[in-house]
Amino acid sequence: MRRLAVAVTGAVLLAGCSSPDDDAGPTGATATPSTSAPTAPTTPSATPDPTPSEPAPEPPEPDPRLTPDDVRPATAVAAVRHLAGEIGPRPGTSPAYREAADWVEQQLTGHGWRVERQRFATPGGVSWGVPVEAGPSVNLVATRGDVRPGEPWLLVGAHLDTVPQAPGAEDNASGVGVVLALAEALDGRRTRLPVVLVAFGSEEPRGPTDDDHHYGSRAYVASLTPAQRRSLRAMVSLDRVGVGEAVPVGSAAEPNAITDRLQRAGREAGVPTEIDLFQRSSDHWSFVRDGLPAARLGSTPYAGYHSEGDTADVVSRAQLDRVGRLMAAWLA
């Protein structure tokens, strides 16, 4: 009887130590203890719930479009004073020309432009009655990294050299000054097409024919690839642009699409223009004679032409402002 009592007591104790997890089912019968590891309690997944993706960053705002008010005539005036007043006469193969080219390059790079020097040979000869020596000269070709092979582009150029006896304020520090004012205005501004700016060397004559003239622009045209030639939409030469009250718009022959658009840009900018037909005495002619689209701004007659009298006081700030405004409207 004692053994039976102990057995019953043990069975009661085992039943009292059982937990609900040991139940085999809803009957409540006691299950045989398992020899496997206990099942871990259910916990949330260790993989975090996916979080909403962050919104894509907003695309950067495009640069504002160039406007006529962005071009500072003071920049052009300062260039005229430096080139004509401090450097003076600068034939295309002279030390003074190299000094002028260094200075212009510094101005362009200071406004964020990349400048390539294109060297070419210039023969000796007689320039406006004065002998000049043969030697190397250079074009300064400025870009902003946005010109793509085969895609449309525009070019604005001005010659940097002078005849030997002239300080060259109007001919052609005025054109170079407007190019530099455009380079400044285009820093952080966009145009309808990518723009190349060029300061041409050795434009002035060294003999009596077309082939004794425009050496820098002819070298530049000869260097263009077929794709560049096909995609050039227009070239404009700024040559003698600081005298007068209306801006001459020059065509190598009859009026054309470029001169029409330049005159329309003048109207948009509030700048008076006058057409100048069969105008071939500037660097645009190097392009036209080779089948490329080009025109000229400038050429109003003045007393100091190709003489010692071509000094900074000849040049009108108001006319430089007109040309800069017109060019901004054309480029935009």
Side-chain angles (χ1 to χ4, degrees):
M1 290 294 295
R2 185 176 182 84
R3 288 180 182 175
L4 178 60
V6 171
V8 171
T9 302
V12 171
L13 289 173
L14 284 172
C17 292
S18 298
S19 70
D21 289 341
D22 292 329
D23 291 345
T27 60
T30 302
T32 304
S34 171
T35 58
S36 61
T39 303
T42 302
T43 59
S45 171
T47 303
D49 292 334
T51 57
S53 59
E54 294 185 2
E58 292 291 331
E61 290 291 328
D63 289 335
R65 190 171 290 277
L66 179 69
T67 72
D69 292 338
D70 293 324
V71 185
R72 298 176 61 248
T75 300
V77 170
V80 170
R81 290 174 177 168
H82 182 81
L83 292 170
E86 297 185 37
I87 297 178
R90 46 195 183 278
T93 56
S94 67
Y97 180 82
R98 292 190 286 274
E99 179 184 353
D102 288 345
W103 183 80
V104 170
E105 181 175 0
Q106 290 171 4
Q107 306 309 303
L108 291 167
T109 57
H111 295 307
W113 292 75
R114 305 173 189 174
V115 178
E116 174 191 353
R117 290 190 167 224
Q118 183 184 52
R119 291 174 172 79
F120 59 92
T122 307
V126 177
S127 183
W128 216 250
V130 179
V132 285
E133 295 182 354
S137 190
V138 65
N139 296 326
L140 303 177
V141 182
T143 59
R144 298 192 295 173
D146 54 352
V147 178
R148 300 286 183 265
E151 295 185 6
W153 57 291
L154 302 170
L155 187 150
V156 180
H159 75 86
L160 179 56
D161 64 309
T162 69
V163 294
Q165 63 270 50
E170 168 68 345
D171 189 15
N172 185 41
S174 64
V176 173
V178 174
V179 167
L180 292 179
L182 290 170
E184 176 185 52
L186 285 167
D187 190 1
R189 296 289 187 272
R190 60 191 171 96
T191 52
R192 59 188 168 95
L193 293 175
V195 179
V196 176
L197 303 177
V198 184
F200 293 112
S202 296
E203 185 271 347
E204 295 291 2
R206 295 185 169 218
T209 73
D210 272 351
D211 290 336
D212 303 312
H213 212 180
H214 311 135
Y215 298 98
S217 54
R218 284 195 284 141
Y220 180 84
V221 169
S223 75
L224 293 175
T225 67
Q228 289 171 323
R229 293 171 62 91
R230 287 192 302 270
S231 56
L232 175 62
R233 291 296 176 262
M235 179 272 184
V236 175
S237 175
L238 305 181
D239 193 348
R240 293 170 42 202
V241 296
V243 171
E245 297 182 355
V247 178
V249 177
S251 167
E254 300 290 344
N256 54 50
I258 302 174
T259 58
D260 289 348
R261 184 154 190 167
L262 286 167
Q263 290 190 290
R264 185 166 72 249
R267 291 190 294 272
E268 292 169 357
V271 173
T273 62
E274 55 189 23
I275 194 70
D276 187 10
L277 302 180
F278 297 94
Q279 170 59 258
R280 299 180 178 182
S281 58
S282 188
D283 286 310
H284 70 297
W285 176 234
S286 296
F287 290 76
V288 174
R289 70 187 292 194
D290 214 38
L292 298 173
R296 171 184 179 172
L297 294 188
S299 74
T300 302
Y302 67 109
Y305 176 64
H306 279 189
S307 76
E308 295 177 356
D310 192 3
T311 54
D313 59 313
V314 168
V315 175
S316 162
R317 177 192 178 101
Q319 185 73 335
L320 295 176
D321 185 32
R322 293 182 195 106
V323 174
R325 293 179 62 83
L326 188 159
M327 286 304 300
W330 182 73
L331 291 171

